[in-house]
Amino acid sequence: MEKSVKKIQMVDLQTQYAKISGEIDEAISSVIRSAAFINGPEVKAFQAELEQYLGVKHVIPCANGTDALQIAMMALGLKPGDEVITANFTYVATAEVIALLGLTPVLVDVHPKTFDIDLAAIEKAITPRTKAIVPVHLFGQCADMEMIMALAAKHKLYVIEDTAQALGSDYIFSDGKTQKAGTIGTVGCTSFFPSKNLGCYGDGGALYTNDDELAKKIRMMANHGQRVQYVHDSIGVNSRLDSIQAAILRVKLKRLDHYAAARQKAAAWYDKALGNQTAISVPARTTNSTHVFHQYTLLLHGIDRAKLREFLSAKGIPAMIYYPLPLHLQKAYLDARYKPGDFPVTEKLCASVLSLPIHTEMDEETLAYISDSVLEFLKA
Ligand SMILES: *Cc1c(COP(=O)(O)O)cnc(C)c1O
């Protein structure tokens, strides 16, 4: 009874919370009782546990994923005029921090099937001013890190992995070895925004690196450029993960692999139900990454997307467009270097992607209802 009246959501954080509420509530109230709200033991414990989960030497928590990207670029000493290459098909934060720091964002197109940054396009965009590449592991699947790292080594570039959507996914090297997304480049950046795969109950983020010196600089940058108390070697920012969020993240990190498996199970269900339609493509998988399905994104072929969305919405099914407008066509990022048509893949994706609900709490009844509704539209 209760199930059939439950509202379908893109992400169901309420049901997820209901299953772990005892542990979460205790974690929150114990921080309040301790009054160690900032840089308390919970933050240090979470940091150590995430380091262990990722197999990385240093995790540096910060206030959100956007800050993580900004702090990475500051700690690497990038200067105005330096060019930073990133994918055009991404959330705005990636390009925003490049522009905010006075660096030059160099946008490149993405792969038409995986939606991840296109290697040939990166290579073409490299100039003597290029300092860094920011691959975005979009929707939960890793960009081609092995090739990107080889290209970066050849041209002496930093690699800043935007792993805000792919925490927990494994990159698979050609020799079969695996490494967690975000731990391969010079530095990895992630977000704990509530709807992300490891989400807190507010804002949060982190940087990861295996480089001891860089880790020191990152910690300094995130803490007002402070080397020792009241001694400031650089202009930094104030960016902290608070202890309550860290305590919540510790509870959820223990379940992250279980949560990823639930998302993968839902994705497999959708694949089976929708995979043999000519008018839609289900998400393509690469052989060099696992997929943690931050989003389950369909590609529509010759279908009226607005009509499909309306049709689903009338049945109580939300569906979202990530992302409707490429960066080079956003008012804030208009640039004489770029014009409409310059990024044919990104522009086509923005016009034809549609993401279906996917989260950790999907049951088969809901998956069947959503899949059947999509099929019903295709038949009409
Ligand atoms: C969410 C997200 C960010 C920003 O994270 P916040 O914590 O919201 O600042 C950056 N990049 C990508 C790809 C994201 O999805």
Side-chain angles (χ1 to χ4, degrees):
M1 177 70 190
E2 218 224 324
K3 231 171 220 167
S4 54
V5 298
K6 198 159 84 184
K7 194 165 158 266
I8 301 174
Q9 303 177 83
M10 288 300 290
V11 181
D12 183 356
L13 295 174
Q14 283 139 329
T15 309
Q16 189 191 64
Y17 166 68
K19 292 180 181 167
I20 54 173
S21 59
E23 218 177 314
I24 291 276
D25 293 358
E26 172 50 31
I28 294 174
S29 63
S30 105
V31 172
I32 297 174
R33 285 194 304 271
S34 78
F37 296 111
I38 301 291
N39 288 333
E42 290 292 328
V43 177
K44 289 184 183 66
F46 170 64
Q47 175 194 316
E49 285 159 12
L50 189 57
E51 281 164 357
Q52 197 185 4
Y53 175 83
L54 294 169
V56 72
K57 267 173 99 175
H58 306 280
V59 165
I60 303 101
C62 68
N64 58 68
T66 309
D67 274 9
L69 289 161
Q70 180 178 335
I71 292 163
M73 290 176 204
M74 291 171 78
L76 289 169
L78 302 188
K79 300 255 161 9
D82 289 349
E83 293 179 358
V84 179
I85 297 173
T86 195
N88 195 340
F89 189 56
T90 181
Y91 181 58
V92 68
T94 325
E96 183 179 46
V97 297
I98 300 171
L100 259 181
L101 293 173
L103 317 173
T104 306
V106 175
L107 303 174
V108 299
D109 219 340
V110 295
H111 190 279
K113 292 216 165 78
T114 65
F115 314 147
D116 276 324
I117 194 163
D118 184 71
L119 197 78
I122 300 176
E123 194 155 18
K124 254 177 70 187
I126 294 173
T127 76
R129 288 178 303 282
T130 308
K131 287 286 153 51
I133 306 169
V134 187
V136 182
H137 304 314
L138 203 71
F139 301 153
Q141 186 167 244
C142 295
D144 193 348
M145 285 307 292
E146 194 163 1
M147 300 298 276
I148 291 170
M149 292 309 286
L151 197 59
K154 185 170 146 200
H155 296 273
K156 300 194 164 39
L157 307 176
Y158 299 123
V159 176
I160 302 166
E161 291 179 70
D162 183 342
T163 185
Q165 301 188 2
L167 208 171
S169 87
D170 288 305
Y171 183 79
I172 305 161
F173 288 85
S174 45
D175 64 3
K177 285 199 186 106
T178 67
Q179 230 173 298
K180 288 285 177 203
T183 67
I184 301 160
T186 320
V187 55
C189 298
T190 204
S191 164
F192 307 123
F193 186 80
S195 65
K196 298 284 157 88
N197 287 40
L198 179 61
C200 60
Y201 294 163
D203 272 309
L207 298 97
Y208 343 128
T209 185
N210 284 306
D211 179 329
D212 299 340
E213 271 311 301
L214 182 60
K216 245 189 246 166
K217 282 188 195 149
I218 290 170
R219 278 189 195 289
M220 221 169 75
M221 278 300 170
N223 184 26
H224 304 285
Q226 175 173 288
R227 179 166 47 84
V228 290
Q229 199 169 24
Y230 307 126
V231 180
H232 303 270
D233 282 8
S234 350
I235 297 174
V237 295
N238 174 27
S239 188
R240 298 183 284 238
L241 178 72
D242 69 69
S243 304
I244 288 180
Q245 300 306 336
I248 292 163
L249 288 165
R250 290 186 70 196
V251 175
K252 291 180 72 171
L253 177 59
K254 285 190 283 187
R255 295 167 171 86
L256 186 59
D257 286 342
H258 162 76
Y259 286 155
R263 287 172 178 274
Q264 285 157 351
K265 204 170 150 205
W269 176 283
Y270 278 141
D271 281 352
K272 196 155 171 254
L274 302 173
N276 55 4
Q277 299 296 312
T278 51
I280 52 177
S281 297
V282 298
R285 316 295 206 274
T286 68
T287 51
N288 52 23
S289 175
T290 62
H291 201 322
V292 291
F293 289 99
H294 177 61
Q295 298 299 342
Y296 186 92
T297 303
L298 298 173
L299 205 48
L300 312 182
H301 311 291
I303 296 175
D304 187 330
R305 179 171 64 181
K307 284 223 173 85
L308 173 55
R309 268 188 102 189
E310 253 170 59
F311 181 84
L312 294 175
S313 172
K315 289 172 165 290
I317 301 167
M320 296 292 286
I321 299 166
Y322 304 115
Y323 296 91
L325 200 56
L327 294 172
H328 74 293
L329 301 179
Q330 300 276 1
K331 194 172 163 198
Y333 295 90
L334 291 177
D335 189 306
R337 290 172 298 160
Y338 305 126
K339 58 181 189 313
D342 281 353
F343 302 88
V345 179
T346 297
E347 288 170 48
K348 185 162 179 256
L349 292 178
C350 288
S352 54
V353 288
L354 190 66
S355 299
L356 297 179
I358 193 158
H359 51 75
T360 59
E361 311 302 322
M362 298 199 76
D363 54 47
E364 296 194 345
E365 194 186 333
T366 308
L367 286 161
Y369 177 67
I370 297 170
S371 306
D372 288 348
S373 301
V374 173
L375 293 174
E376 194 186 326
F377 178 86
L378 295 182
K379 274 194 213 100

